[in-house]
Amino acid sequence: MGDALGIVISLSGIEDTVAAAVHAERGGFESVWTTEFPDHSATIGLAAVAQATERVTLGTAIAYAFGRTPIVLAAEARDLDALSGGRLLLGLGTGTKKMQRDWHGLDGEHPAPRMEELIPLLRRLLSLHEGPIEHEGRFYRTVVRPTAPVPPPLRTDLPFYMGGVNARMVEAAGAVSDGLVGHPLFTPEYTRDVVRPALARGAERAGRDAPPPIAGYLTCVVDEDGEKARQTARGVVAFNSTVKTYRPILGLHGWDEHADRVREAWLAGDFAAATQGVTDEMLEAIALAGTADEGRAQFAERHEGQFERTLLWTPFGGLDAVRRAIEAFSAS
């Protein structure tokens, strides 16, 4: 397949995360990405994966940017890049305003300008071996004067990717990041009509030669029972459709009424109704779901070329489900 295929691993256990990553590397995948939630760390999981793999590019999709100070983020990036032998892509994101407030104790205001300040500051902190760092900005104050010599990192130009959904955050990614981590709800139309123009605007504003690439999530559920796979994928789409922050994606397609019904049912605890509220049209635009043959055909027909890096994501079903996705799209 023409796209650079990666796998996003959203498994709670580090042992299972490593097993899936090794399976993906053996299957010829180009990249492996870890996720972050209250029950697991993206960076610690990736450190374990780095020690168990040799070739595959390693990324976080995403680690929470605002849950760590800039100096901690830079130190983690430095260590992960060294541990992986220079294979790191550090993907950072903000989460929703509610997540920023409830999980990290922040006000959730002005996330895009905050990221536009953070990413260049992280690059400066990677060059700490060149001298002290003093930064007084709108959102960050960082003063670091090492008391002992600081060795240079393996790379001072390691790539920082940014998560983004709505146009303003995507534009910020275009201005300061090395790549965008695309959301699981991104459709080919939203990517074409909203995301890529926003990346281009950001790049132009920053005087960059070209917008950065997209590493985009693509929900992928594979099962011998194709209908079972489709029902599972509908559940993933239903869950993501309940978040109001992501509504512009659905609105572009005129799916607001469907999204309202899905959200209402989900919040009422009627998950079966919420799942059934995801139409065939929505499912086909957002996910790969079915048997292995069906999933490959759906990718070729609808999603090939949507992103520079396509990140297959199987969030439900545990390690066995992730393995099925890997084997369906394996190069070996």
Side-chain angles (χ1 to χ4, degrees):
M1 296 185 179
D3 296 42
L5 281 181
I7 191 85
V8 178
I9 304 172
S10 288
L11 300 172
S12 295
I14 288 182
E15 184 176 343
D16 283 353
T17 297
V18 169
V22 170
H23 200 53
E25 182 172 64
R26 290 174 179 168
F29 276 66
E30 185 266 343
S31 58
V32 169
W33 305 68
T34 54
T35 61
E36 190 154 86
F37 290 99
D39 64 340
H40 62 272
S41 160
T43 54
I44 291 176
L46 200 67
V49 169
Q51 292 184 302
T53 57
E54 298 177 354
R55 170 196 57 79
V56 70
T57 297
L58 303 179
T60 54
I62 48 79
Y64 287 111
F66 298 164
R68 301 165 170 88
T69 65
I71 196 167
V72 170
L73 277 171
E76 287 187 328
R78 172 191 287 257
D79 286 347
L80 282 170
D81 203 43
L83 195 61
S84 65
R87 292 182 284 144
L88 176 67
L89 295 173
L90 190 66
L92 300 175
T94 68
T96 64
K97 181 179 288 189
K98 181 176 176 57
M99 292 161 70
Q100 293 172 50
R101 290 173 171 172
D102 293 352
W103 293 8
H104 303 300
L106 301 171
D107 62 15
E109 300 298 327
H110 311 296
R114 187 175 181 130
M115 289 297 291
E116 288 178 334
E117 181 178 337
L118 175 62
I119 298 298
L121 176 56
L122 294 178
R123 293 196 179 102
R124 288 184 62 195
L125 287 166
L126 286 178
S127 298
L128 190 57
H129 59 288
E130 296 178 355
I133 303 294
E134 294 189 17
H135 174 84
E136 294 277 357
R138 177 181 175 187
F139 301 100
Y140 294 102
R141 178 183 182 273
T142 303
V143 179
V144 188
R145 301 185 181 93
T147 56
V150 176
L154 183 63
R155 291 186 293 169
T156 57
D157 60 347
L158 69 86
F160 290 101
Y161 277 43
M162 277 176 53
V165 176
N166 294 316
R168 177 64 184 90
M169 185 63 78
V170 174
E171 185 176 321
V176 300
S177 80
D178 298 297
L180 176 75
V181 178
H183 191 271
L185 284 180
F186 278 12
T187 63
E189 291 80 7
Y190 189 80
T191 304
R192 180 193 67 215
D193 297 343
V194 177
V195 174
R196 292 205 183 273
L199 282 173
R201 288 195 303 272
E204 183 179 8
R205 170 163 60 87
R208 307 178 82 178
D209 292 336
I214 305 172
Y217 272 69
L218 181 57
T219 298
C220 178
V221 183
V222 173
D223 197 284
E224 290 183 358
D225 183 339
E227 185 53 36
K228 179 181 177 182
R230 284 183 281 276
Q231 284 300 102
T232 300
R234 285 184 203 275
V236 179
V237 175
F239 170 72
N240 282 319
S241 298
T242 66
V243 182
K244 289 184 177 181
T245 303
Y246 310 149
R247 182 58 66 89
I249 304 171
L250 306 176
L252 179 74
H253 293 267
W255 295 335
D256 289 291
E257 290 186 9
H258 298 302
D260 287 340
R261 288 194 289 270
V262 168
R263 178 179 169 82
E264 182 179 351
W266 192 280
L267 293 179
D270 191 345
F271 304 126
T275 297
Q276 289 308 115
V278 175
T279 67
D280 289 345
E281 182 185 17
M282 294 169 69
L283 184 65
E284 290 168 5
I286 294 168
L288 309 177
T291 65
D293 286 342
E294 287 171 335
R296 288 189 293 266
Q298 291 161 13
F299 180 80
E301 179 180 349
R302 179 104 180 128
H303 294 283
E304 192 164 14
Q306 181 178 351
F307 309 120
E308 285 77 10
R309 279 188 166 96
T310 297
L311 313 182
L312 303 182
W313 181 52
T314 306
F316 297 160
L319 178 59
D320 287 344
V322 176
R323 280 179 166 157
R324 288 195 297 271
I326 291 169
E327 288 163 7
F329 288 86
S330 175
S332 61

